[in-house]
Amino acid sequence: MPGLEVENLHVRIENKKILHGITLNVEYGSIHAIMGPNGSGKSSLAYTIMGRESYEVEEGDIRLDGESLLDLPTEERALKGIYMALQDPPQVPGVRLSTLMIAAINKKLGNLDLTRVKDPSIVKKMYKYAEELNLSRDILQREINVGFSGGEKKRSELLQALVLEPKVIILDEPDSGLDIDGVKKVANILKELKAEGKAIMLITHYARMFKYVTPDIVTVIIDGKIAVQGGPEVANLVEEKGYAYIRQRFFKR
Amino acid sequence: MIQKEKYRDLIEKLPFQQIGDTPTVRYYTDWKVFESRLNLDYASSEDKLPGFLSKLKPNITLGLSLRATNVPEGVIVEDLTKVLEVRPMAIAGVNTKMQAYHAYRWNTGAYIKITDESSIEDLVIVSLGGDGYLGHHIIIDIGERANARIKIIDYGGPNASLKTLITEMTARNNSKLEVDILSLYHELHASFIQHYLRIEDQAEAVVRILTSGGSMTRFESDNLLLGRLSKLDAKASNVARPSTKTDFLLNAVHKGPESEGFIGARGVVLGDGYLAQRGLAKIDHEASWASSEVESHVTILGERGRGYAVPMLEIHTGDVTKAGHSASVTTIQEDHLFYLRSRGLNRDELERMLITGAIEYSSVASSLGIDPLEIFLI
Ligand SMILES: Nc1ncnc2c1ncn2[C@@H]1O[C@H](COP(=O)(O)OP(=O)(O)OP(=O)(O)O)[C@@H](O)[C@H]1O
Ligand SMILES: [Mg+2]
């Protein structure tokens, strides 16, 4: 079974049409890269998959393991195993990062008390992955994204993906704002997640990450439409020629 | 007695709030609530602590009268009306109408001395409201090199009544004080509360506060870092329940050279509640190389709730080691909600997390051994 399927997706936000018939699959044990220029609709696609309320699906379907998600609210999509690492996650003063992760895990396990840690191995896991991501331990005790640097925000988003163990991981530009070591680190983690059988949708502007992790499929979205879809060679084409060329070549009638 | 008459005159003469109390000359307290209750008779019955607090073993209780039980060794408790050598309001001063009112009318007072070099693990002081006016005055003197952990439970039950509570604490040279203050009031109760703390040379104070006010609660914690190398670490959690109003002030004034202070507060506003969360850190000219930080964050959860975070930092010396302030007022916005929902949590769970988080900030609930959300059970 294919994992996440997006079929002929048309989306509008308020009165603006943003996606015009997107079709793509993100299979388990694979990395599907989504590329495209600013404002092309990459984040919108991710938000729509996650069920963000302002993104209205006009036509098409989104399925997980063959089951449509369209009628489910965001939290239920998350509980079914979809995780989105946000491009720019908001600050949530008053809630610690560890409190959030513990609550999310308890919720997933069906525990009514979201605050208590039933299984101490979860805490160990948080610390282990934080260390792996070069995040200092005290970040877990800090309020979510309050005073986090750009890189810390990105890594904290990835940390939550590792701790929550979803089936499908959508990463919206996990590499922007990271230094080269950070990019390598993220690439290695993606490789591991792929090997574990996760379905990974990787949104990015640049092909620089693909030096360290090769995507299985690359889809380029321009103006809310798929311009081209193929293997890693598509990313090379983008890198060499730029989006203007892609637009010219594939949208020319 | 002459003193008392003087206070009565001052009730008439003094304003509710000094001009210049805030730079904006704004009234964060709804003084009308107090004004309408000034003529209340003294209470004839006192409130009972709610069930979740009943496991606490009070050593000193102030209600209609003063009671002391199982007072630990090293602590001397006396009826304040019978102690001639201390003068109530000496530290607090009488500068506003409510202070004068309290000074004139308080009915129960305790003088508590923690003897020099003693170590007091746990001293529980309870102040109870009643079905009319009650005023409590507490003076606590923590002796030199003493070590004291004090819990103050300040409670007002379901009557449309009024309580005033003023404490005047002194942490003498080289003493260590840890004080947890819980101020909890029913929706109809009004309360005027001031806690003064003077911290002398090399004394250290940890102040933890949890408030959830009534129809109008004015809570002020004034901390004076008087001594050289004195230290203050103060953290407060404030919960404005629906139909309640709290004007909360947490202040630190540095006069001691190389004194170190931190004051921080987290608040949440529920329903149509109201919370002004104010903090002033002031470094006087004689407090060279002091360091001070003030922090205030309020989250408004209710659509009709109102919340203010007003931190101020005033520096009157050229030589400071560190000085900083931060503040925010947040409402739950679509992006917060989407974020938390994308982690599998719903709005109710998010609100509960925010409330619990704010309450846990000051750690008063955990040191009293109560669940953070139990404060809603009054
Ligand atoms: N909430 C919104 N209200 C109005 N327009 C929106 C909203 N969100 C997105 N858009 C518009 O939809 C289009 C696609 O935006 P989107 O954020 O999906 O692009 P993107 O490909 O992720 O761009 P970037 O690479 O800059 O992150 C843009 O024109 C954007 O202005
Ligand atoms: Mg984007």
Side-chain angles (χ1 to χ4, degrees), chain B residues 69-347:
Chain B
T69 36
N70 292 328
V71 175
E73 205 178 314
V75 181
I76 298 162
V77 183
E78 284 178 70
D79 184 336
L80 187 56
T81 54
K82 300 191 177 117
V83 183
L84 299 174
E85 63 274 22
V86 292
R87 199 164 60 81
M89 308 304 288
I91 297 177
V94 177
N95 301 308
T96 66
K97 195 187 288 292
M98 287 309 291
Q99 286 174 324
Y101 180 81
H102 170 87
Y104 177 63
R105 278 200 93 189
W106 62 265
N107 65 302
T108 307
Y111 171 74
I112 302 166
K113 169 79 194 173
I114 313 278
T115 51
D116 290 358
E117 302 190 26
S118 61
S119 179
I120 308 304
E121 266 307 302
D122 202 19
L123 183 73
V124 180
I125 303 169
V126 172
S127 159
L128 299 169
D131 58 355
Y133 169 71
L134 285 178
H136 297 154
H137 200 92
I138 306 172
I139 294 178
I140 308 176
D141 193 332
I142 296 120
E144 294 192 4
R145 289 175 304 282
N147 214 321
R149 300 176 71 160
I150 299 175
K151 298 186 172 87
I152 300 176
I153 314 295
D154 161 24
Y155 175 72
N159 295 297
S161 48
L162 173 65
K163 184 162 104 183
T164 61
L165 167 64
I166 293 184
T167 69
E168 296 176 286
M169 293 179 260
T170 304
R172 304 260 174 222
N173 296 351
N174 300 88
S175 64
K176 282 203 171 75
L177 166 69
E178 258 184 73
V179 58
D180 285 286
I181 302 170
L182 170 66
S183 264
L184 195 53
Y185 284 87
H186 268 262
E187 283 81 354
L188 296 176
H189 214 119
S191 47
F192 178 84
I193 301 146
Q194 290 197 290
H195 294 282
Y196 288 89
L197 170 60
R198 231 173 36 181
I199 311 167
E200 299 189 341
D201 283 359
Q202 299 197 44
E204 293 178 16
V206 175
V207 176
R208 297 288 180 257
I209 298 166
L210 171 57
T211 78
S212 193
S215 65
M216 184 69 236
T217 290
R218 191 182 200 275
F219 182 106
E220 183 165 339
S221 165
D222 281 309
N223 302 282
L224 176 61
L225 290 120
L226 190 65
R228 168 178 290 277
L229 293 165
S230 55
K231 274 193 190 141
L232 168 74
D233 172 15
K235 283 185 172 175
S237 301
N238 301 305
V239 180
R241 306 189 315 283
S243 328
T244 67
K245 292 202 232 68
T246 300
D247 181 16
F248 173 89
L249 295 93
L250 175 55
N251 302 328
V253 175
H254 291 254
K255 286 190 188 288
E258 297 173 80
S259 54
E260 259 176 58
F262 173 84
I263 54 180
R266 293 286 183 281
V268 280
V269 180
L270 311 183
D272 60 352
Y274 167 91
L275 173 64
Q277 190 174 270
R278 304 192 271 156
L280 166 67
K282 184 173 164 193
I283 303 183
D284 265 2
H285 60 93
E286 63 264 53
S288 46
W289 305 114
S291 95
S292 193
E293 272 181 282
V294 48
E295 221 185 81
S296 179
H297 297 284
V298 174
T299 306
I300 301 174
L301 299 177
E303 259 166 46
R304 287 174 303 133
R306 284 179 301 151
Y308 304 92
V310 194
M312 282 182 288
L313 188 62
E314 268 181 38
I315 302 169
H316 300 278
T317 167
D319 317 312
V320 283
T321 301
K322 190 164 91 183
H325 76 297
S326 72
S328 70
V329 177
T330 331
T331 50
I332 297 194
Q333 284 146 5
E334 193 275 334
D335 61 332
H336 289 118
L337 203 51
F338 170 73
Y339 185 69
L340 279 292
R341 290 176 73 188
S342 78
R343 305 304 188 247
L345 304 166
N346 60 36
R347 190 186 173 110

Side-chain angles (χ1 to χ4, degrees), chain A residues 38-39 41-44 47 87 172-173 203 205:
Chain A
N38 287 127
K42 304 181 297 297
S43 295
S44 300
Y47 287 137
Q87 184 172 352
D172 194 354
E173 303 195 17
I203 298 173
H205 278 284

